Amino acid sequence: MARATIVEDLLVSVLGEMHALRALASVQRSAEVLALEQASIDAPVAPGQLAEALGLALFVGLLDRVPSGASYVAVKVGAGDQVVFDHGALRTVLWANNGALPPGRAAIARVLEPLGYAQCEVYPLPTLRMTGYAYAHQQFPETLPQYFVSELHPEQFSVPFQDAVSSVLSSSREPLTTFDKWLLAKLTNKGKLPFNEACAVLKAAVGCFARQHNDPTLQAYETLKAESAEMAWIATEGNVFNHATDRVANVMAVADEQRLAGRAIKALVEVSASGRVRQTALLADKVSRNFVAADGSLSAREVSGSFYEFISRDCLPGCTKLDLAFDSGNATGIFKVTAEVAKAA
């Protein structure tokens, strides 16, 4: 694979050539980051380049776990088009008994912020007993994907539910080494890294988007599921990339096309209070996960995995800037696609 940019070299170093090529073929590159790029890997790596590489790595990783999304993207790429990667999402739990992992969004913010991201908005999700936090890239907000990081609040549930949360999360491991943290601090302070150190940061950042805790017990899972489909999902999936979102011109038309293609999709398109942001999603694909029985044995069952989403954004009134906001009502509706499981593609 002939490479010409640092972002491409970063991806190859962390993903290998095959997955790097798939990511670059699938997603439209940021024109602003491309303007920064230099052919030599000896050039220092800027936060924006690492941010784009992280988004591409997470996107292709999601396709490996979401067959329905991979099928959609393959058709789009086959027609000579590419995805405009609008945002990705993940779920966290704001809970003290979280093992070695920082609680809530702090576990993810600590890698997003050195790459140039900052929390820009807060979205209450009261019916889910969660809160959503949007992180946008400070330098390239329109062309690099945002991250929608949600926190679940166990203290708003029953005591048995809280005990089940602790039993699941208390085994959480710390994915970052002392050296990883030192490199992230160096990137924050200096605003750039040598290529080899940037590769290490990218690998460490990707590793944070994973399940860090052990297999849940079946009893804990059932307790969680009875009160929160979202926490049950976290019990099996952890902090993996929950979904990736394609920014499309007409989400209504795309939804109709997906139904005609036989892909399971939400019945309704979510429309923001402003009317400028419209979202829908394919229903979550099934994944097989292990559970620990009362006697300590493992048993597998199919549960909701991650999913693929679509969004249309209009411009803000009186200007040419896109409305990059999210919407609490839209987010609450989108969360439901992991409660209803689609047939595996």
Side-chain angles (χ1 to χ4, degrees):
M1 172 182 167
R3 302 191 295 276
T5 71
I6 290 174
V7 168
E8 293 173 22
D9 284 306
L10 286 169
L11 286 172
V12 171
S13 73
V14 173
L15 302 182
E17 195 160 297
M18 182 180 71
H19 282 81
L21 181 62
R22 186 184 186 192
L24 292 162
S26 300
V27 180
Q28 181 177 302
R29 290 286 312 273
S30 164
E32 294 165 313
V33 175
L34 278 169
L36 295 177
E37 292 276 49
Q38 301 177 52
S40 172
I41 64 172
D42 294 326
V45 181
Q49 292 166 304
L50 267 168
E52 184 173 39
L54 174 63
L56 289 166
L58 294 173
F59 184 90
V60 76
L62 181 125
L63 295 187
D64 286 340
R65 295 181 288 105
V66 181
S68 59
S71 173
Y72 163 81
V73 172
V75 170
K76 189 163 191 172
V77 173
D81 203 356
Q82 288 183 302
V83 170
V84 177
F85 188 10
D86 182 88
H87 72 274
L90 67 150
R91 301 175 180 180
T92 70
V93 187
L94 188 59
W95 196 236
N97 193 356
N98 206 39
L101 192 66
R105 67 188 187 280
I108 299 299
R110 60 185 177 156
V111 296
L112 291 180
E113 289 169 353
L115 273 57
Y117 282 92
Q119 179 192 311
C120 54
E121 295 290 346
V122 180
Y123 298 94
L125 306 170
T127 61
L128 302 175
R129 286 170 271 191
M130 302 178 79
T131 304
Y133 299 85
Y135 286 79
H137 200 270
Q138 295 177 284
Q139 191 174 11
F140 308 125
E142 286 201 24
T143 62
L144 288 179
Q146 293 189 75
Y147 289 82
F148 191 88
V149 184
S150 59
E151 287 182 338
L152 185 132
H153 306 292
E155 74 280 1
Q156 298 180 23
F157 294 84
S158 71
V159 171
F161 181 95
Q162 295 174 33
D163 291 341
V165 170
S166 292
S167 75
V168 170
L169 298 184
S170 61
S171 64
S172 295
R173 296 164 290 276
E174 167 61 276
L176 297 180
T177 67
T178 300
F179 182 61
D180 294 333
K181 295 173 184 177
W182 180 81
L183 287 177
L184 288 164
K186 180 180 178 180
L187 178 60
T188 300
N189 293 330
K190 294 187 174 296
K192 58 186 177 181
L193 287 176
F195 179 78
N196 288 341
E197 292 182 350
C199 289
V201 164
L202 178 59
K203 183 177 180 181
V206 170
C208 288
F209 292 77
R211 194 186 86 184
Q212 312 297 350
H213 56 261
N214 296 340
D215 293 329
T217 66
L218 188 56
Q219 179 181 0
Y221 178 79
E222 295 293 355
T223 299
L224 298 172
K225 189 176 180 182
E227 296 189 43
S228 170
E230 291 71 38
M231 185 62 222
W233 189 93
I234 294 168
T236 64
E237 308 306 299
N239 304 135
V240 301
F241 222 29
N242 174 256
H243 67 262
T245 307
D246 190 357
R247 188 188 301 162
V248 298
N250 187 335
V251 77
M252 309 284 190
V254 170
D256 290 339
E257 290 167 1
Q258 298 316 298
R259 290 189 189 94
L260 289 174
R263 298 188 184 97
I265 193 166
K266 276 180 87 286
L268 300 175
V269 170
E270 305 292 336
V271 181
S272 66
S274 71
R276 292 189 294 270
V277 182
R278 298 167 295 282
Q279 295 168 257
T280 194
L282 302 177
L283 300 187
D285 287 309
K286 289 182 178 180
V287 292
S288 178
R289 296 290 182 259
N290 287 328
F291 295 87
V292 181
D295 63 1
S297 62
L298 292 179
S299 61
R301 66 161 59 180
E302 287 189 324
V303 297
S304 299
S306 298
F307 62 94
Y308 196 87
E309 185 186 29
F310 309 95
I311 192 168
S312 293
R313 295 186 182 275
D314 295 338
C315 290
L316 292 166
C319 70
T320 59
K321 289 187 176 182
L322 284 178
D323 186 343
L324 296 176
F326 294 95
D327 181 271
S328 292
N330 282 17
T332 300
I334 292 294
F335 266 82
K336 295 176 182 177
V337 304
T338 54
E340 182 179 355
V341 186
K343 293 181 180 180

